[in-house]
């Protein structure tokens, strides 16, 4: 406390790239305009970076005259680090899906395609752009298998996963490809079902 009293907050304790924006937030509060949830990095005495979520509130005396600013902060360093790690993991998983040597597709709760990796595109001849947002069953499954494939996907949307379900796909050039499918329920961070991920295997040569 003794080390900071009387010092200029912005010039002494805010990093160069944030000084102007923090100065503006404090200046606004000095003119009666409060700021909520402003994120700013602080650097500790030892040079460590700390992320702070700041509320800057106007401070007035008994007569209602503005005499300063009170800043109430929350240390969100760990939260930001966790979010960064989750983002990294999500990016790694997306790369794994995209480059996997197996056809992988995803649908949302309405049955519309929201995932289509390179292998799925290579096997079917349909590019990602051609299938995204389309009804998977009605557009890409042959009529005689639409009901059974639809049932597998419906069950997965209810949390009942299916392994080793075999069905034929017809490619863009109308060639038959036999697929062995595992349909897995896809859930959001709140554990609510958001769709289905299908991981397949081309077993045409085996059949």
């Amino acid at each position: 406390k003794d080390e900071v009293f009387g010092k200029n907050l912005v010039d002494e304790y805010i990093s160069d790239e944030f000084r102007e924006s923090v100065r503006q937030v404090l200046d606004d509060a000095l003119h009666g305009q409060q700021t909520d949830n402003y994120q700013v990095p602080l650097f500790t005495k030892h040079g460590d970076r700390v992320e702070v979520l700041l509320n800057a509130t106007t401070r007035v005396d008994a007569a209602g005259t503005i005499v300063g600013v009170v800043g109430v902060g929350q240390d969100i360093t760990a939260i930001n680090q966790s979010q960064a790690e989750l983002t990294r993991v999500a990016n790694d998983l997306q790369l794994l899906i995209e480059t996997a040597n197996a056809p992988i597709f995803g649908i949302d709760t309405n049955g519309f395609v929201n995932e289509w990796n390179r292998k799925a595109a290579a096997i079917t001849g349909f590019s990602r752009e051609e299938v995204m947002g389309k009804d998977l069953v009605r557009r890409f499954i042959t009529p005689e298998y639409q009901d059974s494939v639809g049932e597998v996907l419906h069950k997965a949307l209810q949390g009942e996963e299916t392994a080793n379900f075999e069905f034929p796909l017809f490619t863009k050039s109308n060639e038959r490809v036999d697929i062995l499918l595992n349909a897995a329920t896809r859930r959001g961070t709140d554990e609510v079902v958001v769709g289905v991920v299908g991981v397949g295997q081309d077993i045409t040569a085996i059949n």
Side-chain angles (χ1 to χ4, degrees):
K1 184 175 180 177
D2 296 335
E3 290 179 290
V4 300
F5 262 50
K7 302 289 180 63
N8 186 294
L9 174 67
V10 175
D11 291 339
E12 294 284 344
Y13 303 106
I14 304 298
S15 58
D16 292 344
E17 70 270 26
F18 280 88
R19 280 178 186 162
E20 287 306 314
S21 58
V22 172
R23 187 176 282 115
Q24 184 62 52
V25 167
L26 297 179
D27 187 61
D28 287 345
L30 285 171
H31 288 85
Q33 182 180 337
Q34 302 180 167
T35 299
D36 295 328
N37 299 327
Y38 176 75
Q39 187 172 332
V40 60
L42 285 177
F43 286 87
T44 69
K45 187 175 181 178
H46 303 292
D48 297 324
R49 179 174 173 139
V50 179
E51 300 287 344
V52 175
L53 196 64
L54 176 69
N55 291 344
T57 304
T58 305
R59 188 174 193 173
V60 297
D61 62 14
T65 302
I66 295 174
V67 296
V69 176
V70 174
V72 179
Q74 178 185 358
D75 182 356
I76 58 171
T77 308
I79 296 174
N80 281 6
Q81 289 172 344
S82 296
Q83 289 175 337
E85 178 63 15
L86 286 173
T87 299
R88 185 193 66 77
V89 171
N91 289 339
D92 287 348
L93 288 174
Q94 187 61 43
L95 180 63
L96 180 63
I97 289 172
E98 186 60 25
T99 59
N101 191 33
I104 298 176
F105 67 84
I107 60 167
D108 61 19
T109 53
N110 295 313
F112 298 137
V113 179
N114 58 12
E115 189 69 65
W116 193 261
N117 76 343
R118 294 176 191 172
K119 192 66 174 180
I123 288 175
T124 65
F126 291 104
S127 69
R128 179 182 177 90
E129 291 71 26
E130 289 177 294
V131 302
M132 292 294 279
K134 304 290 178 61
D135 187 314
L136 175 70
V137 173
R138 299 304 166 200
R139 293 294 297 273
F140 303 105
I141 305 298
T142 56
E144 67 269 27
Y145 278 87
Q146 285 181 359
D147 287 344
S148 57
V149 173
E151 181 64 21
V152 166
L153 298 178
H154 177 73
K155 285 181 178 179
L157 285 171
Q158 304 301 314
E160 184 181 340
E161 302 182 349
T162 299
N164 300 326
F165 175 76
E166 186 176 335
F167 70 98
L169 271 179
F170 281 86
T171 69
K172 191 174 183 179
S173 57
N174 207 35
E175 297 175 357
R176 176 177 169 137
V177 178
D178 291 313
I179 300 293
L180 195 64
L181 177 71
N182 291 342
T185 306
R186 192 174 199 171
R187 300 178 186 273
T189 54
D190 54 3
E191 289 302 307
V192 173
V193 174
V194 296
V196 176
V197 174
V199 180
Q201 180 184 355
D202 181 356
I203 59 171
T204 309
I206 299 173
N207 283 357

